[in-house]
Amino acid sequence: MTTAKARTTALITPVDQEAQDEAKALAGDGRTAKAVRRLRKGSGLGLGEAPVALSLLTEGNTLPTTYSQALDTLQGLDTQLVTEMTALLNGGNRDAAIRLLRERTDIDLAGGYHLVTELSTRLSGR
């Protein structure tokens, strides 16, 4: 059973395009375990999220390849979360924004940091 949290995390964790293409090909050949390992290698996807990401790929979805794309996806999935993170950043509380993101998703610490940094960069550019 796929949780909404795992699905969101899979959709906001960048995975390079080559890894996505290789994983889809491996899954198409019935080598699901190897496809999951390929997605995990070099990305922040955990054991719970990588199979969800593979499922999304085989259903025709694409995963983000950059944190900018990941932030765009997150804004589409959970506007409320991005609004709360923005308020925390505007208040100078980057760590709380990262903590909030990690509580609401299962993104790893590095991924949370990079996603919040991307949001912070966009906010300072307005």
Side-chain angles (χ1 to χ4, degrees):
M1 179 174 151
T2 301
T3 66
K5 201 173 185 180
R7 186 176 192 283
T8 298
T9 303
L11 286 168
I12 65 169
T13 302
V15 178
D16 68 76
Q17 192 60 53
E18 182 181 337
Q20 291 184 47
D21 294 342
E22 288 176 19
K24 281 187 347 189
L26 289 165
D29 291 342
R31 299 167 66 193
T32 306
K34 189 163 182 126
V36 167
R37 282 194 303 275
R38 180 60 183 105
L39 285 177
R40 290 193 67 216
K41 182 180 176 185
S43 76
L45 290 169
L47 285 173
E49 296 80 30
V52 175
L54 181 61
S55 177
L56 289 165
L57 283 173
T58 58
E59 291 168 3
N61 295 291
T62 56
L63 303 176
T65 57
T66 65
Y67 283 101
S68 178
Q69 291 173 352
L71 181 57
D72 291 340
T73 300
L74 181 60
Q75 286 175 320
L77 292 172
D78 195 341
T79 305
Q80 178 68 28
L81 173 58
V82 176
T83 300
E84 291 175 38
M85 290 167 46
T86 299
L88 289 168
L89 286 171
N90 286 337
N93 204 338
R94 177 187 299 258
D95 291 346
I98 294 168
R99 215 171 15 258
L100 177 64
L101 176 62
R102 294 192 68 219
E103 287 170 3
R104 299 266 188 93
T105 68
D106 285 329
I107 198 162
D108 68 343
L109 180 59
Y113 170 81
H114 290 295
L115 207 53
V116 168
T117 299
E118 178 65 30
L119 178 58
S120 179
T121 301
R122 286 189 188 182
L123 293 172
S124 65
R126 322 189 229 177

